[in-house]
Amino acid sequence: MTKHIVIGFLGCGNVGSGVWRLLEGFGDAIEHRAGLRFHVKKVLVRDLTKKRDVAFPADVLTDNPDDVLTDPEIQIVAEFLGGEEPAYKYLLRALGAGKTVVTANKVAFALHWHELQKAAKASGAGLYYEAAVCGAIPIIHSLEESLQANFIDKIYGIVNGTTNYILTRMSKNGEDYATVLKDAQKLGLAEPDPAADVEGLDAAYKLSILASLAFHGRVPFEDVYVEGITRVGAEDIRCGQDLGYTLKLLAIAKRKGLDVETRVHPTFIRSDHPLANVSGSFNAVYLHGHACKEMMFLGRGAGDMPTASAIVSDLERAASVRKHLYPTFENAPNPRVTLKNNTDWQCPFYIRMLAKDEPGVLYRIAKCFADQGVSLAAVQQKGEQANGRVTLVIITHTASEKAVQRAVTSLDGEIATLKSIIRVEEE
Ligand SMILES: NC(=O)c1ccc[n+]([C@@H]2O[C@H](COP(=O)([O-])OP(=O)(O)OC[C@H]3O[C@@H](n4cnc5c(N)ncnc54)[C@H](OP(=O)(O)O)[C@@H]3O)[C@@H](O)[C@H]2O)c1
């Protein structure tokens, strides 16, 4: 017998329209497979006069959130508004009223996970968020359920399609950042205001969620070190390629005992690493667990239908389970047993500088690093001398972040000026 579930949407832009279309076009199959039929009763939007791709029946659209949040018939609220507020406020109200929430909103979720979970548990409602990280890739469900028998110690994610598209084109065609960004905006692959993507914030929200699940403890967004791709130059990408590296904006999370490091920054990885071939707007998550060993998830991290795939799967899960489950770690801002945030991680570094072209300079540069306990694995001169200066590319052995920062700060500007510094992950 078919179970009928009444749902309400908060927002109906790209993602919401995709969900509407998927429920409409695939509704019979869902009923056949799962015995579920979803009925969208109300859809909250900001502008009722806006022209839309979806032909909504009369009286479905509303600009009053109460029509969704206080309707006793609506059992599940699916949220695709985006941003922290008013989404967070609405989600709390929905959960407080005992309505299960399915959300695609990484910002509100990453920032307020513990409050949302508390409200959900208090009312017995469900809280589902697969679409908040990596669109169609079922990474949340995998971490929550299928990989529970693992101590996961490492995650490398390409979790932002916009920046991966930009870096892929810069790497393949030698184009510069500003040109590719403009093109990406024209193609709809970057927002008119691209800051959240190119500054790495979007990836950091997602990493906070992934690391919390993988390491079984809350990793707050504020603990994630973030550096975007805005200062990445074609020259560094080329120099890295000569050394066998590909540049990616990686979301990295590592755990050793209770020590956890989480960081988002441009990273050189070996060009034969599986992540190096993740091109364009694709997303991927590569992880290591003590039992499952290495594993990689690859797929579309955005787009109306790929994201709808995750949302509708969450709707089905939410409507089928006998009892909603919540992550079992102590999800609180100050948990009793806490993971420690390690900001002095260790990795090799790529450093490009312009150095004076005269005897003794190399010795003085090497000494700045040696004084901080940083040893150099390779030094290469690139190109010809210009104005008495040459480009030097240094690769360090594995070294501490803080020691390398001290070493480059101690460089005498008379002999060398730092042009760029990029962390390397050797796998
Ligand atoms: N786009 C993707 O591929 C993708 C992938 C994964 C996750 N997500 C997440 O999904 C969410 C939605 O993304 P989207 O691309 O669908 O955004 P969008 O196209 O901008 O749609 C946002 C929707 O929310 C409505 N809205 C916004 N603020 C509102 C307010 N204060 N009151 C009432 N309605 C409001 C808008 O109404 P109007 O239609 O009237 O403007 C619109 O329908 C975000 O959290 C995003 O991070 C997106």
Side-chain angles (χ1 to χ4, degrees):
M1 213 178 75
T2 299
K3 183 173 166 189
H4 294 270
I5 298 111
V6 180
I7 63 178
F9 284 6
L10 296 176
C12 199
N14 290 318
V15 173
S17 307
V19 175
W20 180 279
R21 278 194 289 271
L22 189 54
L23 286 175
E24 215 174 42
F26 209 58
D28 290 345
I30 291 171
E31 184 171 357
H32 178 68
R33 291 172 182 193
L36 300 169
R37 176 67 73 171
F38 293 98
H39 304 273
V40 185
K41 186 172 178 191
K42 283 286 175 192
V43 171
L44 174 74
V45 291
R46 194 170 15 203
D47 179 0
L48 288 172
T49 63
K50 196 165 165 178
K51 207 164 167 279
R52 297 178 188 274
D53 309 340
V54 172
F56 292 99
D59 80 359
V60 164
L61 285 186
T62 176
D63 58 2
N64 180 359
D66 289 346
D67 288 346
V68 176
L69 299 172
T70 63
D71 184 332
E73 226 196 339
I74 291 178
Q75 297 155 274
I76 302 181
V77 170
E79 186 263 325
F80 333 109
L81 294 169
E84 185 179 0
E85 289 292 0
Y88 169 52
K89 191 170 58 193
Y90 295 167
L91 294 181
L92 262 192
R93 280 184 61 196
L95 293 166
K99 298 182 193 304
T100 282
V101 158
V102 171
T103 180
N105 187 335
K106 73 223 116 196
V107 182
F109 191 81
L111 295 178
H112 300 289
W113 189 352
H114 57 286
E115 287 105 329
L116 293 170
Q117 185 169 307
K118 203 165 140 199
K121 275 177 150 176
S123 70
L127 180 56
Y128 296 82
Y129 50 98
E130 182 67 74
V133 183
C134 295
I137 301 176
I139 186 67
I140 298 294
H141 190 58
S142 301
L143 287 171
E144 276 184 343
E145 299 199 9
S146 315
L147 291 168
Q148 276 294 305
N150 280 274
F151 181 91
I152 295 174
D153 60 1
K154 202 187 302 176
I155 300 178
Y156 292 134
I158 295 175
V159 297
N160 181 274
T162 304
T163 47
N164 201 47
Y165 174 82
I166 293 172
L167 291 180
T168 302
R169 269 191 49 183
M170 289 176 75
S171 301
K172 290 207 167 138
N173 312 336
E175 293 170 276
D176 67 78
Y177 169 77
T179 310
V180 184
L181 173 62
K182 243 188 226 149
D183 252 17
Q185 285 171 316
K186 265 192 230 146
L187 293 166
L189 291 167
E191 298 284 337
D193 175 4
D197 291 320
V198 297
E199 301 288 358
L201 293 172
D202 174 86
Y205 289 120
K206 293 168 180 167
L207 185 64
S208 150
I209 300 170
L210 288 180
S212 300
L213 284 174
F215 301 155
H216 216 71
R218 186 72 189 279
V219 176
F221 165 74
E222 296 76 23
D223 282 2
V224 181
Y225 171 82
V226 194
E227 194 181 299
I229 64 164
T230 52
R231 281 174 295 160
V232 165
E235 188 172 350
D236 287 315
I237 292 182
R238 231 179 3 256
C239 290
Q241 284 169 336
D242 291 347
L243 293 160
Y245 293 123
T246 297
L247 192 74
K248 293 289 176 191
L249 181 72
L250 278 200
I252 301 170
K254 294 186 189 177
R255 175 173 180 183
K256 222 183 237 168
L258 284 182
D259 269 7
V260 163
E261 59 185 66
T262 44
R263 42 196 173 101
V264 170
H265 52 65
T267 311
F268 275 130
I269 51 174
R270 302 245 40 119
S271 295
D272 57 3
H273 191 282
L275 285 171
N277 287 321
V278 177
S279 300
S281 60
F282 273 86
N283 279 197
V285 178
Y286 180 95
L287 56 81
H288 177 268
H290 83 289
C292 68
K293 310 298 178 197
E294 294 79 13
M295 183 177 284
M296 189 161 107
F297 299 77
L298 170 73
R300 294 191 189 276
D304 55 354
M305 295 314 278
T307 310
S309 157
I311 298 274
V312 175
S313 300
D314 266 357
L315 286 172
E316 282 196 49
R317 203 168 292 131
S320 326
V321 292
R322 262 197 228 118
K323 190 167 181 291
H324 299 295
L325 297 176
Y326 314 96
T328 49
F329 60 86
E330 197 183 354
N331 192 350
N334 296 303
R336 267 171 291 129
V337 178
T338 187
L339 298 169
K340 287 197 223 66
N341 183 26
N342 175 13
T343 54
D344 193 17
W345 51 80
Q346 308 262 330
C347 64
F349 289 77
Y350 158 104
I351 297 156
R352 180 168 62 88
M353 57 181 73
L354 270 183
K356 225 173 181 176
D357 191 15
E358 62 180 41
V361 163
L362 216 48
Y363 167 77
R364 288 172 66 189
I365 293 172
K367 188 168 181 314
C368 289
F369 287 92
D371 287 349
Q372 300 302 329
V374 177
S375 74
L376 308 185
V379 181
Q380 280 191 0
Q381 182 181 325
K382 293 275 173 191
E384 298 298 312
Q385 188 222 70
N387 304 323
R389 301 229 152 194
V390 286
T391 296
L392 285 186
V393 167
I394 291 175
I395 301 288
T396 73
H397 284 293
T398 295
S400 113
E401 168 79 24
K402 288 189 176 157
V404 169
Q405 296 295 350
R406 279 195 302 270
V408 294
T409 319
S410 73
L411 283 169
D412 176 354
E414 273 300 299
I415 61 153
T417 36
L418 179 71
K419 300 309 279 183
S420 56
I421 179 161
I422 296 175
R423 296 158 192 96
V424 178
E425 286 293 318
E426 294 279 8
E427 262 277 313

